[in-house]
Amino acid sequence: NILQTKASLSHSFNAALKDYWVLNNFNHIYTSFGINTSFNDFFSEDVQILSNGNINNFNVSNFGNDFTYNFINTFLGVEYKFQIGIATFKPAVFYHGYLWRAEQFNEANTFSKTLILPQFTSKVEFNNSEKLLFRYRQRLQFPTVNRLAGNFVLNSFNSVLLGNPDLQNERIHNYSLNYYKFSLFRGLNVNTGINYSRKSQSVKNTTALDGIEQFATYTMFNEPENSVSANFNFSKRMNTVKLGLDSRTSYSEFFQLVNANVSKNFSRSLSLTGKMETLFENWPNLELGYTYEPSVFTTSVNRNQFTNTEFFAGLDYVFLKDFHLKADYRRTDYENQSQNLTNIFDLANASLYYQKDDSPWGFEVLATNLFDIRFRRSNSFSDFLISDQTTFIIPRIIMFKIAYKL
């Protein structure tokens, strides 16, 4: 019997002062000064209750943390906004002074860093309902308190985690380009964009494997990692029918540190959903859709390919003034082509509600999990582990409800 105690306490305070200097209608200068603070405490303890009732405290083997982490970020920024025709530009620079202090068991270390981080924003506004927006931002991301705590923590029955109080910051470059178009008269809505992120300095998990046992810690890593994602959302209303198309795709390359070996991994995924719904006032409204989601995860030694498809349907119908019928259905097909595994999952619910307009009383017959599905299986993967998971589902329930509205 293992008992683990974890406790964390966090306080933060943020303040900013910004001056707006309007030179004319086409040129503005913004000056900002601010401070962000965070004060964190983290405590952990792992003990074992032996069969004779004695307690084996793991603290004697360098387990247990009583860690304090304080972080202060002061910044001064200048932004210049100017307009040329239908385009607006806003370059900016921010000077940051970072100060942080890590303390555990009366041993404290203090770190400081100062640097300049640039930003740039550009917007082209074709009209009130159509615009193109570009953003660039360079930022630092500092580790959370649980990654810094310098003693062991039992992460699971076969995994031990050790923080690193000497971790520095990650440096991230973000680029994004987005396009928006909306037309109420045509019933058209388009939203699409692409995002690129580059980590030039990152905090990485490093794992040592011995059979199923894992020892994990964190280290600074200076090899660049890249990721790209894109989205496209489209909807069009034609009289009483609305069509929609949603898609997302991503590609990333990242490094894996296992057993002192460094390997470069790749992952890519796609999600494509097409749907149709009706917008009748006096007839049943239907929603039908289909989702297709393939994904591939490639390491130096293997390649895993997954496909997830889902068909969904919904019904919403108000009839005889006082009756409201609702139903929904989803069928999910999951396939792991690499291991020839297939899982199929159906879920359906239905409800019939009755309430007269001038009555506070309502009555409903509700059925959940109509097909009485008892469990579903799913798979997931991480840097070096493929997991199979079973989720148990509450059996079919048919319920009669009475409601009274005050």
Side-chain angles (χ1 to χ4, degrees):
N1 291 321
I2 302 294
L3 299 181
Q4 183 178 71
T5 300
K6 283 185 178 180
S8 60
L9 179 66
S10 177
H11 300 278
S12 63
F13 173 79
N14 305 299
L17 178 66
K18 193 165 188 176
D19 176 70
Y20 297 85
W21 185 12
V22 180
L23 301 178
N24 51 52
N25 290 338
F26 304 100
N27 294 272
H28 301 170
I29 296 178
Y30 308 143
T31 306
S32 344
F33 173 75
I35 182 170
N36 303 318
T37 65
S38 177
F39 305 97
N40 306 273
D41 295 304
F42 175 72
F43 174 84
S44 70
E45 184 180 50
D46 298 279
V47 301
Q48 179 186 14
I49 300 178
L50 303 177
S51 56
N52 61 6
N54 293 336
I55 294 180
N56 177 22
N57 195 316
F58 293 175
N59 286 359
V60 296
S61 301
N62 293 327
F63 278 75
N65 289 279
D66 190 359
F67 187 77
T68 298
Y69 176 59
N70 300 327
F71 178 83
I72 300 175
N73 168 28
T74 55
F75 62 88
L76 176 65
V78 177
E79 303 168 80
Y80 175 45
K81 181 179 179 180
F82 61 97
Q83 183 177 348
I84 301 176
I86 61 173
T88 303
F89 304 92
K90 188 167 71 170
V93 290
F94 286 83
Y95 177 81
H96 289 263
Y98 299 99
L99 176 67
W100 65 98
R101 184 176 186 270
E103 179 180 353
Q104 172 135 289
F105 305 131
N106 298 320
E107 293 186 9
N109 293 305
T110 301
F111 306 90
S112 63
K113 177 177 291 190
T114 59
L115 74 164
I116 294 176
L117 297 178
Q119 295 183 21
F120 179 78
T121 302
S122 176
K123 181 173 68 172
V124 180
E125 196 163 359
F126 303 101
N127 51 58
N128 291 333
S129 59
E130 185 179 11
K131 62 184 69 174
L132 183 68
L133 180 64
F134 171 79
R135 288 192 180 99
Y136 165 73
R137 182 187 179 194
Q138 186 181 152
R139 62 188 178 91
L140 302 187
Q141 183 169 298
F142 286 82
T144 55
V145 63
N146 59 308
R147 289 187 169 190
L148 295 167
N151 273 4
F152 298 114
V153 176
L154 194 62
N155 209 28
S156 67
F157 78 96
N158 67 332
S159 175
V160 172
L161 177 65
L162 177 66
N164 182 357
D166 296 325
L167 291 178
Q168 300 291 309
N169 57 275
E170 297 181 306
R171 184 186 290 263
I172 305 170
H173 303 262
N174 289 115
Y175 304 81
S176 67
L177 180 65
N178 294 276
Y179 172 77
Y180 309 91
K181 182 177 178 61
F182 173 75
S183 174
L184 183 62
F185 177 74
R186 297 180 179 179
L188 178 67
N189 191 2
V190 178
N191 183 352
T192 184
I194 184 170
N195 297 274
Y196 169 68
S197 178
R198 179 180 177 87
K199 281 187 178 182
S200 57
Q201 179 179 338
S202 59
V203 175
K204 298 295 294 181
N205 288 15
T206 175
T207 305
L209 300 177
D210 184 8
I212 67 168
E213 297 177 0
Q214 305 170 20
F215 170 73
T217 187
Y218 302 99
T219 187
M220 297 303 304
F221 193 73
N222 293 319
E223 290 290 334
E225 296 180 325
N226 302 286
S227 64
V228 180
S229 64
N231 68 281
F232 177 78
N233 307 103
F234 169 85
S235 65
K236 171 69 174 176
R237 179 170 177 171
M238 297 180 295
N239 296 324
T240 57
V241 176
K242 183 178 180 181
L243 302 177
L245 178 65
D246 298 328
S247 67
R248 299 186 308 275
T249 184
S250 65
Y251 170 83
S252 62
E253 50 186 40
F254 56 94
F255 288 90
Q256 169 184 298
L257 285 66
V258 177
N259 288 347
N261 296 319
V262 178
S263 62
K264 194 172 186 179
N265 297 346
F266 304 88
S267 70
R268 67 175 187 266
S269 64
L270 170 69
S271 177
L272 183 63
T273 300
K275 58 183 178 180
M276 180 275 294
E277 59 180 310
T278 60
L279 305 169
F280 299 119
E281 293 186 4
N282 301 313
W283 294 94
N285 281 308
L286 296 174
E287 181 185 25
L288 298 173
Y290 182 79
T291 298
Y292 174 68
E293 295 179 331
S295 59
V296 178
F297 181 76
T298 305
T299 70
S300 58
V301 295
N302 57 33
R303 183 175 186 269
N304 294 284
Q305 187 171 352
F306 306 87
T307 301
N308 195 68
T309 61
E310 183 178 75
F311 169 77
F312 57 91
L315 170 67
D316 195 326
Y317 184 31
V318 177
F319 60 98
L320 299 178
K321 293 185 178 181
D322 305 319
F323 289 90
H324 190 180
L325 176 64
K326 297 176 68 177
D328 62 86
Y329 168 75
R330 288 182 178 270
R331 175 190 172 93
T332 302
D333 291 75
Y334 174 85
E335 183 180 3
N336 183 339
Q337 290 95 328
S338 306
Q339 299 189 9
N340 198 25
L341 294 175
T342 302
N343 298 316
I344 299 175
F345 173 65
D346 295 274
L347 185 63
N349 307 291
S351 164
L352 179 62
Y353 186 77
Y354 170 77
Q355 184 178 20
K356 293 183 69 66
D357 286 341
D358 56 352
S359 173
W361 291 96
F363 306 91
E364 183 180 16
V365 178
L366 174 68
T368 60
N369 192 8
L370 285 172
F371 300 120
D372 201 26
I373 301 298
R374 297 305 178 94
F375 65 91
R376 65 177 174 183
R377 294 179 61 190
S378 61
N379 299 88
S380 62
F381 56 90
S382 64
D383 291 355
F384 52 84
L385 185 67
I386 299 175
S387 302
D388 183 84
Q389 181 175 353
T390 299
T391 303
F392 293 94
I393 299 173
I394 295 175
R396 180 194 300 121
I397 293 176
I398 299 177
M399 185 182 304
F400 178 68
K401 297 168 63 176
I402 301 176
Y404 182 83
K405 295 183 179 181
L406 298 176

